[in-house]
Amino acid sequence: VHLQESGPGLVKTSETLSLTCTVSGGTVNNGGFYWTWIRQHPQRGLEWIGYIYYTGDTTYNPSLESRVVISMDTSKNSFSLELKSVTAADTALYFCARDNYFYDSGSRESKFDSWGQGTLVTVSS
Amino acid sequence: SYDLTQPPSVSASPGQTASITCSGEKLGNKFVSWYQQKPGQSPLLVMYRHTKRPSGIPERFSGSNSENTATLTISVTQAVDEADYYCQAWDSGTVIFGGGTKLTVL
């Protein structure tokens, strides 16, 4: 499976960041995976933003929940990220990834076995 | 919120063993995954379910998890292993990443 992010590389402060992840070699309409957005601030670690299931159910990072919407377009085999009211602190490399999850004895494993190449989004006035 | 703690840096000489730890409360009860990230590249899954290696990951990579600490071990470390390594777990519906460890192969 191949994932490819697309969207503007520059967003103005207070506006909405919008990115799309197009999936090839597999379908997003598949209950075996959660489709995920992850970001990485410059020279920093990874931060999980949230994910969407094929049913449309979503879960978001509590620290971003008030500003994030993740949606899916099965006709385009893609899923998207919207992050509202952005500031310079949202400048980061944004990745989409596939969570090949697993459940066992009430515990869940989340593992990201396919990633996009990442797209750098800069927020500036 | 749940936290995963990693040492900022670890070093090893070529041919030696490098161990990278990841600490969290009752981490032994959770499934831990590990990722390798080289400069300019996307993260690569190198270990999951504590001890399982994805296809294509060399056997010199191994993992363990007990009580509050998970460990990624790289035996016979090579220069190509120099990278940032992140642990990751799932907790209460959310995904948590450790802060990352920079492995330097001297």
Side-chain angles (χ1 to χ4, degrees):
Chain A
V1 68
H2 181 73
L3 290 78
Q4 179 68 57
E5 304 90 350
S6 60
L10 182 63
V11 181
K12 291 187 176 180
T13 304
S14 79
E15 296 190 347
T16 297
L17 178 161
S18 298
L19 297 174
T20 296
C21 181
T22 302
V23 178
S24 57
T27 174
V28 297
N29 200 12
N30 183 328
F33 309 104
Y34 283 83
W35 302 95
T36 303
W37 287 97
I38 293 164
R39 70 181 183 179
Q40 185 169 32
H41 293 98
Q43 306 303 318
R44 300 285 296 277
L46 301 168
E47 179 181 29
W48 174 73
I49 298 171
Y51 48 54
I52 187 167
Y53 198 48
Y54 80 108
T55 56
D57 290 342
T58 54
T59 304
Y60 302 127
N61 186 324
S63 69
L64 298 169
E65 189 168 16
S66 63
R67 299 193 291 131
V68 173
V69 175
I70 296 176
S71 58
M72 180 178 283
D73 187 338
T74 55
S75 69
K76 296 181 179 179
N77 209 34
S78 67
F79 60 104
S80 297
L81 168 70
E82 286 193 344
L83 182 63
K84 304 172 185 176
S85 303
V86 296
T87 70
D90 295 308
T91 292
L93 185 60
Y94 286 76
F95 295 99
C96 58
R98 185 180 78 171
D99 179 358
N100 189 352
Y101 71 95
F102 170 79
Y103 278 104
D104 182 57
S105 303
S107 186
R108 178 181 151 171
E109 173 186 64
S110 196
K111 61 182 182 292
F112 303 101
D113 62 354
S114 294
W115 295 68
Q117 65 184 24
T119 187
L120 179 63
V121 179
T122 302
V123 178
S124 175
S125 57
Chain B
S1 64
Y2 192 82
D3 292 323
L4 294 175
T5 301
Q6 298 181 236
S9 63
V10 166
S11 61
S13 299
Q16 292 191 332
T17 296
S19 295
I20 301 171
T21 59
C22 174
S23 299
E25 185 177 355
K26 298 182 180 179
L27 186 58
N29 295 336
K30 304 181 187 300
F31 293 114
V32 178
S33 300
W34 289 91
Y35 302 86
Q36 175 193 70
Q37 187 180 31
K38 296 181 179 180
Q41 297 185 14
S42 304
L44 173 70
L45 179 68
V46 295
M47 194 68 56
Y48 66 97
R49 216 162 299 161
H50 314 315
T51 62
K52 294 187 178 296
R53 282 178 291 105
S55 174
I57 302 302
E59 290 185 8
R60 63 177 185 277
F61 285 80
S62 63
S64 64
N65 190 13
S66 63
E67 294 200 43
N68 300 313
T69 302
T71 302
L72 177 70
T73 301
I74 309 170
S75 60
V76 195
T77 303
Q78 300 180 6
V80 69
D81 300 326
E82 186 163 289
D84 294 328
Y85 290 85
Y86 296 91
C87 61
Q88 173 254 313
W90 182 90
D91 178 76
S92 301
T94 63
V95 172
I96 312 298
F97 286 98
T101 298
K102 181 176 181 59
L103 172 64
T104 301
V105 181
L106 302 171

